[in-house]
Each structure stands twice: as C-alpha cells, then as structure tokens.
Amino acid sequence: MIDILIRNAKLDGQMVDLEINNEKIVAITQKSTTQAKQVIDAKGGLVIPGFVDAHTHLDKALLNPASPYVDGTGPEKGKLTLARKKDFTVRDIYQRAEIMLKRAINSGTIAIRTNVDVDGVVGLKGIEALLQLKKDYAHLIQVQVTAFAQEGVFVDTQTQALLAQALQLGADLIGGHTIANGEGAKHIDVILQLAKTFQVEAEFHLDESGKREHYLLPYLTEQMVKLNLQSRVTGIHLCTLSALTEEELQNALKMIKDVQLKVTVAPTAISTRALAPVKKLVQQGTLVALGSDNLRDFFNPLGSANVRDVASLLGYVQRFYTAEEVKATFDMITTKGAESLGLKDYEIRQGGTANVVVLPTADIAEIMAYRDAPLAIIRRGQRIA
Ligand SMILES: [Zn+2]
C-alpha cells in the first residue's frame, strides 16, 4: 500500500496516474492498480511541482496594516520603512514573514526568493529571522535569502561588514540597489566583490527609478565580464529600459544577452513607473522570472503572495493575450522561475521528490485567468492542502 495515488492528472500532454510513497514519486503510469492510503482524483488537472516567486521582501511584509498607508514617492516610502525598521525585532520580522509565507505555500508556491535588509539600523535581525523561517518551513517551500543593501553600502560604517556576516550566516545571495544613496557604480563594485568572495550569485534592484540618470545597466554588464560573473547576476526591475530610444534599447538588450543577465520583473512596480519590455526580453531568450515584490507594506498595501496575481498584472499591462503569450507568463512563474533561481529537482518524474501541485484544470489560460486554488498540494510526499 502506497501513501498517495493521484489519478487522472495531466503531465506533458498525457493523462497519467502518479504513485507517491516515502517522499518520492515511485511510478507514473497510464492506469495504476496499486492500493493507496489516499486517492486524489485530479479530474484532468495539470500537475506541476509548484509556482516560483522570484522576488519578495518578506522582512517588510505587513507593515501597512500595522501603520496606515501613506501615499508618496518611492524615496518617501523608503523613509517611512526606515523609520519602522528601527523597531524591528527578530520575532516581529519572523511573525510577519511567516503569515505571507503561508499564503505563498497555500497558493501552490514551491520556491520564493526574499530580499532581506541588512544595514546599521536593522543589523542582522532580518537575516536571523528569515534564515530561521527558511529552516522551519524547508519541508514545505524553498526560501532563498538575499542579504540586501537597501540603504546603500556607504551609508554607514557597518553595512559592508554586516553583509559579509549575513553571507557567513548562510544567506544565499548578495543584493544591491543601484540607486541607493546615490552610490552608483561604487555600490555595484562592492556587491559584486562580495559575490566573488563568497561565491554566491548577486542580484540588483537595477535602474529602478526608470530615470536615464540612474542608468547603470552598461556599467553592471561591463563589470560582470571583467569579474567573469556571466549568468551569475540577476537584474530586478530594469525600468530605465522603457525610457530609452529604440536604438539604445537594442544596445541594452544586446548587453543583457551577451552577459546572460537574468531578469526578474515585479509587475506591481507599474503603480509608480514603467515596466521593462518583457516580451522583447523573452523573445531574445533572456531568462525572465516574476516576483510579488512588496507584500502589504508601505510600497504596496495589496500584495497577496500569490505569484499568479502578478503574472496576471503583467499580462494586462503588456498584453500577454495570445495563447503563446499567456503560456509565457505561466512559464515565468514555473519553469523559467525555477531555472532563474537554480532550483534542483524541479520536475515531476519517476524517482523524483514528490512535490506536486494538482491544479483544477489543464488549460493554461484558465489557470492564469481564474487563479483557482489548487485541488491538492503535496510536499515531500505529504498532502498539505
Ligand atoms: Zn524589490
């Protein structure tokens, strides 16, 4: 008797039965006759390992309901956040992050990357909280923690050492913010050097203001070549791409392609600035992932932690409306997201880990339009929802 049998699931265009036992998918067959403790009828629904949310700020989650939302510019919201950061405790960060993490899990997300602020104000409290949360929920979701220099690296005398400590403690990546504190190129140098030293990937909130004077993509890609970091860096946002002339944009796309810069787009940024031209990036083969970004904080009071919501937003804003385009947005929050985050074992295969989300339909357009809850979520062979 096996643990779970999923009947009538759609996988790679075929109707199959999945046998799950001892955390593994032990068989994928046309018609299983094996007895199981639990049988799930997928009713023709698609099975996937899960969704991938490539960019969030779990350490700042739920700051908004705690303090009323005040409208303002990005820098103004940054100031509000900084003021609140002074009072953060490890416990408070953990509790707020946990609420949104559970929402992500229940929406079918299998992996989530979060930036976590590290600076002289908050110190390593966020890192401590998120590394603990990552450990506590490892059986349900893979959390990747980016030690993030939100306020800049030259803003105080401690941040650089704290970022190194965060990586020693086990942060998965190093994160920079190219417009932080007006530090520009020097900021990029420090972050890339930390990536080199600790042999981790780097990611940058890159050209986030959308203004030409903050355009640092050319410098970043140049340094990636110098330091031999091709394909090891992710650019988040890249809003300035939308402010370039057609000729400049073609040059920028070539720079991105040449160094295999991975791109993560957070579609909720549309509330304050133009998004990067995602279709053009996808067309040239750039690895594009999507992220929820802010989750009910001063920047976005409406974040749901269901990454299908932001994929839908991208679909509306940039008209991903044909069947192929809708499929492309689905890929960004599944296979492409998994590739961007370097997930291992992200596939449903015989002998693989039994991580399975049973969706209520196999029609990609219905999955993305209705965003209905999964019929079942199985993590390491255990049904959780
Ligand atoms: Zn962000």
Side-chain angles (χ1 to χ4, degrees), residues 85-331:
K85 266 203 279 190
K86 294 186 176 79
D87 303 323
F88 280 10
T89 64
V90 175
R91 191 176 155 77
D92 143 69
I93 298 167
Y94 184 101
Q95 286 174 339
R96 286 184 287 100
E98 184 182 32
I99 291 169
M100 296 317 276
L101 190 70
K102 282 182 175 171
R103 288 198 162 269
I105 293 165
N106 289 330
S107 72
T109 294
I110 190 171
I112 192 165
R113 182 178 283 178
T114 179
N115 277 236
V116 178
D117 285 18
V118 172
D119 52 59
V121 174
V122 76
L124 293 168
K125 287 177 201 159
I127 292 290
E128 200 182 313
L130 265 296
L131 287 177
Q132 188 61 48
L133 192 67
K134 170 185 170 139
K135 203 169 144 196
D136 295 345
Y137 281 81
H139 57 300
L140 298 175
I141 189 167
Q142 190 174 328
V143 179
Q144 293 186 355
V145 174
T146 301
F148 178 40
Q150 163 87 62
E151 314 295 344
V153 290
F154 303 107
V155 71
D156 57 35
T157 54
Q158 305 149 68
T159 296
Q160 289 190 49
L162 287 167
L163 289 167
Q165 275 181 48
L167 292 165
Q168 276 157 2
L169 287 171
D172 301 279
L173 292 92
I174 182 74
H177 194 328
T178 60
I179 58 169
N181 201 25
E183 294 171 359
K186 286 189 298 176
H187 179 98
I188 292 175
D189 292 344
V190 170
I191 298 296
L192 289 183
Q193 201 50 58
L194 281 164
K196 261 308 225 205
T197 306
F198 287 89
Q199 295 186 320
V200 292
E201 291 197 11
E203 61 178 6
F204 290 90
H205 283 68
L206 181 62
D207 302 337
E208 188 180 352
S209 71
K211 293 179 183 162
R212 296 175 72 100
E213 63 263 37
H214 296 145
Y215 184 43
L216 281 161
L217 172 75
Y219 183 78
L220 174 64
T221 52
E222 199 182 287
Q223 295 310 305
M224 283 172 67
V225 174
K226 269 193 193 156
L227 294 167
N228 203 21
L229 285 170
Q230 291 95 331
S231 82
R232 304 271 301 156
V233 179
T234 300
I236 304 157
H237 290 306
L238 281 78
C239 298
T240 302
L241 292 185
S242 297
L244 303 178
T245 65
E246 187 53 36
E247 192 187 348
E248 289 167 332
L249 176 61
Q250 289 311 319
N251 285 334
L253 290 168
K254 187 174 181 310
M255 286 177 219
I256 291 167
K257 194 175 179 178
D258 286 349
V259 299
Q260 292 168 273
L261 180 73
K262 296 185 274 191
V263 174
T264 293
V265 172
T268 53
I270 194 67
S271 65
T272 46
R273 49 225 126 106
L275 301 183
V278 177
K279 278 188 196 176
K280 287 186 175 153
L281 289 162
V282 170
Q283 272 160 13
Q284 71 165 6
T286 294
L287 198 48
V288 180
L290 301 182
S292 294
D293 209 355
N294 299 85
L295 298 165
R296 305 202 66 205
D297 60 15
F298 294 116
F299 292 89
N300 175 19
L302 300 176
S304 67
N306 179 345
V307 73
R308 271 188 288 171
D309 291 343
V310 295
S312 167
L313 178 59
L314 175 72
Y316 279 120
V317 171
Q318 296 195 346
R319 299 177 65 87
F320 281 76
Y321 283 172
T322 69
E324 292 75 25
E325 288 165 350
V326 174
K327 173 70 164 57
T329 63
F330 175 77
D331 290 345

Side-chain angles (χ1 to χ4, degrees), residues 348-360:
I348 293 182
R349 61 172 175 87
Q350 193 166 319
T353 306
N355 288 321
V356 183
V357 171
V358 184
L359 295 166

